[in-house]
């Protein structure tokens, strides 16, 4: 059934309730409680502030009776640490562009599909790269291309019994801008990635400091402005990187960029303090600012979105009770409540129908179907982040994921792109 056509008929009390206590959760998810009388197992989760939120940690510990330790950080920093020291984490949460790095460094182990309770509910986007048959696949590492562990140990599209990551949260990204401060001529134009490199906002632009994410924001922007045309934006060549970064360094010398942020809270502060008018943004930052009555709009660029798929990976070093607990936590993420929680910050879950039970009709209609909000909607922090009558930029879940220009990707020129990126941000 299409998400735009509606959902199963659930009572309001059922949708708005969430599982309380270990007993209720274990019945719902088929989880076996850990032995009574023993100390709870501990799992260490490394990732970013996007999903490593205290409210999520507390709810998971209440439901699972395990000790969960979160270690959030900037995306580039945590990826480097995880790839070099798999003993430093049990589970790793980030984006699909981290998979190739982690897999090649042997920092993660295969995940057994048979131990994922709701595997069969995970939708086609995660398994085929398309949320509908007609959707644009998008350049780069669409999630299905790096999901399945092949018999020779490589990652590929052919379905097998093991996967490199648990598909869970995902979204499309673009940029956000303060509608009060955007130059008025721009506000009359169709939103474009090119705005990030537009002279009319020079000095008021920030970019995410991640060479596998910020690079694509800027590549899309440079292409939109006509500075360069890529043969394949998901596999930028060395010559194309040289040309791209020559443009970007020149803009840096003209003080076009105000800064480079490394975490969602930092991006919020950039906009809150009016350091920037426009910047690379993730949906939770836009939700947080709207909750503070700062009118930031998340753009729907005419060129298409940069897509990303969340990955939850199991450390190569995790075994025994910690490994069992890690599987329980992965299953918990697909059990309904977490998907509803992250929907309120603008993210999707890979088995959305289960999370529909925990969202009101108005929330489901706004976040998944792209309809005007029938009532004010609150974000994960409890603050009103969506006013009545507002409509989500880009439309429905299916509309947004039918318009992916490129996925977060580790390209064949990854090492060279790292060199060029760090030269750029320090120029």
């Amino acid at each position: 059934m299409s998400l735009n056509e509606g959902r199963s008929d659930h009572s309001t009390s059922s949708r708005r309730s969430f599982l309380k206590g270990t007993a209720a959760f274990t019945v719902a998810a088929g989880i076996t409680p850990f032995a009574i009388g023993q100390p709870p197992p501990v799992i260490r989760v490394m990732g970013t502030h996007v999903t490593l939120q205290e409210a999520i940690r507390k709810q998971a510990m209440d439901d699972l009776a395990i000790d969960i330790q979160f270690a959030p950080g900037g995306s580039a920093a945590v990826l480097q640490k995880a790839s070099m020291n798999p003993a430093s984490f049990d589970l790793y949460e980030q984006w699909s562009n981290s998979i190739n790095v982690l897999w090649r460094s042997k920092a993660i182990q295969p995940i057994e599909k048979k131990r994922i309770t709701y595997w069969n509910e995970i939708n086609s986007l995660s398994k085929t790269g398309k949320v509908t048959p007609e959707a644009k696949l998008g350049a780069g590492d669409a999630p299905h291309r790096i999901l399945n562990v092949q018999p020779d140990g490589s990652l590929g599209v052919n379905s097998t019994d093991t996967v490199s990551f648990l598909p869970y949260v995902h979204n499309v990204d673009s940029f956000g801008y303060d509608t009060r401060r955007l130059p008025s001529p721009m506000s009359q134009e169709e939103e474009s990635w090119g705005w990030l490199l537009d002279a009319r906002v020079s000095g008021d632009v920030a970019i995410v400091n991640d060479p596998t994410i910020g690079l694509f924001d800027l590549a899309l922007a440079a292409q939109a402005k006509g500075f360069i045309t890529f043969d394949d934006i998901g596999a930028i060549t060395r010559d194309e990187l040289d040309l791209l970064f020559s443009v970007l360094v020149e803009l840096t010398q003209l003080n076009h960029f105000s800064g480079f942020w490394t975490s969602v809270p930092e991006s919020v502060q950039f906009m809150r303090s009016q350091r920037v008018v426009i910047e690379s943004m993730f949906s939770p930052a836009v939700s947080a600012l709207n909750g503070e009555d700062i009118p930031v709009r998340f753009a729907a660029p005419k060129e298409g979105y940069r897509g990303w798929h969340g990955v939850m990976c199991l450390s190569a070093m995790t075994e025994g009770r910690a490994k069992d607990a890690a599987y329980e936590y992965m299953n918990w993420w697909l059990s309904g409540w977490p998907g509803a929680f992250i929907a309120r910050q603008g993210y999707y879950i890979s088995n959305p129908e289960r999370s529909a039970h925990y969202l009101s009709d108005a929330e489901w209609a706004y976040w998944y179907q792209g309809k005007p909000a029938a009532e004010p909607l609150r974000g994960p922090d409890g603050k009103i982040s969506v006013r009545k009558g507002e409509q989500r930029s880009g439309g429905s879940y299916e509309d947004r994921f039918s318009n992916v220009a490129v996925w977060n990707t580790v390209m064949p020129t990854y090492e060279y792109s790292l060199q060029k990126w760090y030269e750029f941000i320090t120029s």
Side-chain angles (χ1 to χ4, degrees):
M1 179 183 71
S2 167
L3 295 175
N4 287 327
E5 294 173 353
R7 55 180 175 159
S8 303
D9 183 23
H10 306 297
S11 69
T12 300
S13 60
S14 174
R15 284 193 304 269
R16 293 179 176 174
S17 67
F18 57 88
L19 298 169
K20 292 283 192 179
T22 305
F25 184 74
T26 57
V27 170
I31 291 172
T32 303
F34 291 97
I36 296 172
Q38 292 189 35
V42 178
I43 56 170
R44 300 156 301 153
V45 186
M46 183 186 295
T48 70
H49 296 86
V50 167
T51 51
L52 270 58
Q53 300 178 45
E54 184 61 13
I56 290 174
R57 190 181 75 88
K58 287 182 176 179
Q59 187 63 43
M61 289 198 300
D62 285 347
D63 288 340
L64 298 173
I66 62 179
D67 186 2
I68 302 171
Q69 300 173 1
F70 278 1
S75 55
V78 296
L79 177 56
Q80 181 182 36
K81 182 176 180 179
S83 62
M84 296 180 66
N85 184 14
S88 64
F89 69 97
D90 296 304
L91 287 170
Y92 180 88
E93 296 186 30
Q94 210 195 15
W95 306 294
S96 48
N97 52 289
S98 60
I99 283 296
N100 280 324
V101 175
L102 295 172
W103 190 256
R104 290 169 187 166
S105 65
K106 302 186 185 303
I108 57 176
Q109 63 178 285
I111 293 170
E112 299 175 64
K113 288 181 183 177
K114 67 182 181 182
R115 297 191 66 175
I116 303 302
T117 306
Y118 305 112
W119 180 263
N120 291 335
E121 295 180 5
I122 293 174
N123 70 12
S124 61
L125 178 68
S126 305
K127 297 173 179 177
T128 70
K130 292 187 176 187
V131 72
T132 65
E134 300 78 23
K136 191 164 55 175
L137 185 59
D141 286 339
H144 72 297
R145 291 173 173 151
I146 50 175
L147 176 63
N148 295 284
V149 179
Q150 304 300 298
D152 64 358
S154 65
L155 303 180
V157 300
N158 295 326
S159 180
T160 62
D161 293 335
T162 57
V163 291
S164 62
F165 64 90
L166 174 76
Y168 72 136
V169 300
H170 50 278
N171 200 9
V172 289
D173 280 342
S174 61
F175 56 90
Y177 58 93
D178 187 331
T179 59
R180 302 167 302 182
R181 302 175 60 222
L182 190 76
S184 55
M186 293 178 71
S187 64
Q188 305 303 313
E189 300 169 8
E190 190 175 2
E191 293 166 338
S192 168
W193 281 104
W195 285 10
L196 289 174
L197 301 182
D198 197 296
R200 292 171 291 182
V201 290
S202 184
D204 294 315
V205 181
I207 303 296
V208 55
N209 184 8
D210 187 311
T212 60
I213 298 177
L215 169 63
F216 289 107
D217 288 0
L218 291 167
L220 286 162
Q223 185 163 266
K225 293 292 285 184
F227 296 152
I228 183 172
T229 300
F230 300 99
D231 287 338
D232 179 355
I233 200 169
I236 302 174
T237 66
R238 287 175 66 100
D239 288 345
E240 290 171 340
L241 286 169
D242 288 341
L243 178 56
L244 172 63
F245 280 101
S246 69
V247 172
L248 298 177
V249 169
E250 182 177 347
L251 286 169
T252 300
Q253 294 169 347
L254 294 172
N255 298 316
H256 179 80
F257 301 104
S258 175
F260 300 89
W261 57 263
T262 58
S263 68
V264 168
E266 188 175 17
S267 72
V268 169
Q269 180 56 27
F270 274 23
M271 194 68 77
R272 181 193 291 128
S273 65
Q274 299 193 357
R275 175 173 174 172
V276 299
V277 171
I278 185 170
E279 63 178 339
S280 302
M281 291 199 88
F282 301 161
S283 188
V286 176
S287 177
L289 289 160
N290 290 166
E292 298 175 14
D293 291 323
I294 299 173
V296 175
R297 175 176 164 83
F298 201 43
K302 60 184 179 182
E303 299 86 8
Y305 290 100
R306 175 176 50 73
W308 61 267
H309 204 297
V311 297
M312 193 175 298
C313 308
L314 185 59
S315 169
M317 303 296 288
T318 299
E319 297 295 341
R321 293 182 78 228
K323 184 174 179 177
D324 293 339
Y327 271 101
E328 306 304 349
Y329 183 70
M330 286 189 278
N331 284 322
W332 177 83
W333 253 103
L334 299 183
S335 67
W337 183 90
F341 181 91
I342 54 94
R344 298 184 182 104
Q345 68 182 39
Y347 285 176
Y348 304 108
I349 195 73
S350 57
N351 59 336
E353 287 292 344
R354 185 163 293 274
S355 291
H357 293 262
Y358 302 88
L359 295 168
S360 69
D361 287 332
E363 288 175 319
W364 179 263
Y366 178 84
W367 292 114
Y368 272 91
Q369 296 178 316
K371 296 179 180 179
E375 61 191 35
L377 303 179
R378 298 184 184 277
D381 58 4
K383 297 178 181 177
I384 298 294
S385 61
V386 178
R387 304 296 186 263
K388 182 178 179 179
E390 289 182 358
Q391 192 166 6
R392 189 172 191 182
S393 63
S396 70
Y397 176 55
E398 292 175 352
D399 290 339
R400 296 171 112 235
F401 271 99
S402 293
N403 192 27
V404 174
V406 62
W407 292 87
N408 287 358
T409 299
V410 172
M411 302 182 295
T413 52
Y414 172 66
E415 297 295 338
Y416 189 64
S417 70
L418 287 182
Q419 174 189 328
K420 301 299 291 185
W421 180 263
Y422 290 116
E423 289 174 359
F424 161 55
I425 64 171
T426 57
S427 62

